[in-house]
Amino acid sequence: MARGARIVGLAAAAGLALSACSVGEGVDLAGAGELDTDDYLRVAIAGEPDQLDPHNTSAYFSFQILENVYDTLVEPDENLEMQPALAESWEVSEDQLSWTFRLREDVVFHDGSPFTAEDVVYSYDRIIDEQLANAYRLSAVEDVVAVDEHTVRIDVSQPTPALLAAIGGYKGMAIVEQQNVESGDVQLDPVGTGPFEVAGNTAGTAVTLRANDDYWGEGPHVPGVVYRFISEGSTALADLTAGEVHWTDSIPPQRVNSLRQNPDVEVAGVPSTDYWYVTMNQARPPFDSPEARLAVARAIDREAIAQVTWYGNATINQTAVPETSVWYHEYAPFEQDPERARQLAESSGLAGETIDLMVTNEYPETVTAAQVIAANLSDIGVSTNIRTLDFATWLDEQAQGNFDMLLLGWLGNVDVNDYYYNQHHSEGSNNAQGYSNPEVDRLLEAGRTETDPDARKELYDRAAEQIVDDASYVYLYNPDVVQAWAPELQGYEARPDRAIRFKDVRLEEDTE
């Protein structure tokens, strides 16, 4: 799932559609068996990374690990505001077309080679030149120049207020080492500058990280981290309560409330930047009619969907941006109204039809939600054929336009542009539903270049309202980030963008 921007997009995310959560084949590195990991932090994640190249993977399970291996020039703090990371400072030219970053001089990669401006140039050029999945994040970039060993300049074609979020919003924009990439080792044995380095793994079972003694920042305060892949949430929770692992986010939603009553477990639930939605194929009748899409928007019961999927651990929302974001805009025009929905269904030709609703069994919540939606549509005279696919097939069918309706989510968005442009601009790279509204295009284009924050928010507020009114997406809810850990794990904070950071944590026995 688009953590990137996740779902990928969640998240991400990219934007990370939920392809950022896809589960892939395991990686296999040597050496983990030789480590003494008794004092390591042990965590349970729900799946195995497909690879460890941050520029090529879109799997959230990969980024759960890579968050601690790589750095970006800037990175979001707990409030999702961009802070220095590999760049100590930056300035923007008066015409807003050049960003100059001063880099830290005390940084080395895990193999001991120095980090310089050329590494930044190589990393961003690689993404752009090879047209990797995140190339759209650098679409405004005209050139990346190493001014000197510790200064890099990014020239853009137009004012780009979202540039910091684009290059620092998630580790898919990490700074990589050229030799590590060109050797091909980056896929299995990545070399970053982050607080931990990959020490090995056992395919299908675990990845092990070792503390980077030469890390440029504070921490880490644990000697290493062992990631275990435990897809069954009840097993992960049993291991947590038994002391076999210290942390997990593999938690069945129905177990969250009871878990909060356990005095031996710390539980965090924070509103996420993810959103879940239904969309309809506007290249096909009857969903080429706004009335047909609005019939769906009026028919569905969001509260029931959130309850059966997340057991209440979600916030109903009719726009993409969650309430906790500075970009939130309160706009919720749709009450469930079966009578009005039935009228719209009849006038648009939707009534009496059998609609294909595409979901994926890799995200069981989509299957569960689809059952509620099918019941809601049945009430207005519409039959639903729920088509459950593996995620790879789901993605292919979406790309081919072989669907009437689909249900999924995006995750890990930081800047408001990430929530709307690629999904709803006529030329958006993730506009699989085929939405096109010239006024929305104009607003989204203006929002990309407007540098006044208040004026920019106004543009996106107006775009969001039109997107909702046109039912390009029918938004459902923003789920909570729910994570649990043992009391001896100190200093951990759950984040709304689902970035899992362990550089600041301590185990009680390791407290200095």
Side-chain angles (χ1 to χ4, degrees), residues 317-321 327-334 416 419-421 424 435 437 439-441 443-444 456-475:
N317 196 359
Q318 293 192 30
T319 63
V321 182
W327 300 106
Y328 174 70
H329 176 55
E330 185 173 358
Y331 188 66
F334 301 130
V416 64
Y419 284 94
Y420 291 116
Y421 187 92
H424 304 289
Y435 175 65
N437 182 316
E439 175 63 6
V440 170
D441 286 353
L443 292 167
L444 295 179
R456 190 164 183 251
K457 185 174 186 307
E458 174 64 21
L459 290 166
Y460 281 105
D461 288 351
R462 290 166 58 193
E465 289 190 6
Q466 191 62 57
I467 289 166
V468 171
D469 288 348
D470 290 342
S472 175
Y473 278 7
V474 176
Y475 295 100

Side-chain angles (χ1 to χ4, degrees), residues 63-378:
F63 286 110
Q64 288 186 283
I65 297 168
L66 295 175
E67 181 70 30
N68 297 284
V69 174
Y70 279 103
D71 292 309
T72 43
L73 284 195
V74 295
E75 65 180 12
D77 63 14
E78 64 275 14
N79 299 314
L80 304 185
E81 295 175 354
M82 290 299 162
Q83 303 296 333
L86 290 177
E88 288 184 312
S89 64
W90 55 89
E91 57 190 34
V92 187
S93 63
E94 189 172 343
D95 63 4
Q96 303 280 326
L97 297 180
S98 289
W99 294 65
T100 301
F101 295 85
R102 311 293 178 190
L103 308 182
R104 296 184 186 278
E105 298 184 14
D106 57 345
V107 180
V108 295
F109 284 95
H110 296 147
D111 64 358
S113 59
F115 158 72
T116 70
E118 292 292 350
D119 296 303
V120 180
V121 174
Y122 173 75
S123 297
Y124 293 161
D125 281 353
R126 180 192 186 211
I127 293 170
I128 295 170
D129 294 345
E130 297 182 21
Q131 284 296 297
L132 302 182
N134 290 311
Y136 78 94
R137 294 176 180 271
L138 303 175
S139 60
V141 173
E142 291 200 325
D143 201 4
V144 185
V145 179
V147 177
D148 59 39
E149 191 171 5
H150 300 295
T151 307
V152 68
R153 190 184 74 242
I154 299 177
D155 297 329
V156 291
S157 58
Q158 59 188 8
T160 310
L163 183 68
L164 294 182
I167 64 175
Y170 89 121
K171 291 300 185 292
M173 303 301 291
I175 304 304
V176 299
E177 186 195 54
Q178 183 172 357
Q179 181 179 350
N180 185 240
V181 171
E182 293 182 347
S183 68
D185 292 342
V186 65
Q187 293 187 10
L188 303 178
D189 191 10
V191 172
T193 58
F196 295 93
E197 59 184 306
V198 174
N201 93 349
T202 303
T205 304
V207 166
T208 302
L209 305 184
R210 178 172 50 213
N212 174 13
D213 294 334
D214 296 320
Y215 181 55
W216 54 268
E218 291 291 325
H221 305 290
V222 293
V225 185
V226 178
Y227 293 81
R228 296 180 180 174
F229 315 134
I230 302 177
S231 59
E232 178 54 53
S234 59
T235 302
L237 290 185
D239 284 356
L240 178 67
T241 55
E244 295 296 321
V245 299
H246 300 104
W247 180 98
T248 189
D249 64 349
S250 181
I251 304 170
Q254 64 270 32
R255 297 283 301 275
V256 174
N257 289 335
S258 62
L259 194 63
R260 294 184 195 279
Q261 308 306 313
N262 187 335
D264 296 325
V265 175
E266 303 287 339
V267 180
V270 299
S272 75
T273 57
D274 314 356
Y275 66 80
W276 291 71
Y277 66 96
V278 172
T279 193
M280 292 145 274
N281 190 341
Q282 297 178 37
R284 292 181 177 181
F287 292 126
D288 54 345
S289 160
E291 284 190 331
R293 304 195 298 270
L294 292 173
V296 174
R298 292 282 186 186
I300 62 175
D301 184 345
R302 292 173 175 77
E303 294 283 354
I305 295 169
Q307 185 61 38
V308 301
T309 54
W310 292 91
Y311 290 78
N313 297 293
T315 302
I316 303 303
N317 196 359
Q318 293 192 30
T319 63
V321 182
E323 293 179 2
T324 49
S325 170
V326 297
W327 300 106
Y328 174 70
H329 176 55
E330 185 173 358
Y331 188 66
F334 301 130
E335 295 284 340
Q336 187 191 20
D337 185 346
E339 182 55 35
R340 178 59 180 151
R342 193 175 297 110
Q343 294 171 358
L344 290 165
E346 291 174 354
S347 61
S348 66
L350 176 61
E353 295 289 328
T354 297
I355 298 302
D356 165 83
L357 173 53
M358 190 170 70
V359 296
T360 172
N361 50 16
E362 289 190 26
Y363 300 99
E365 55 266 53
T366 67
V367 181
T368 306
Q371 294 166 353
V372 176
I373 292 171
N376 293 155
L377 294 181
S378 177

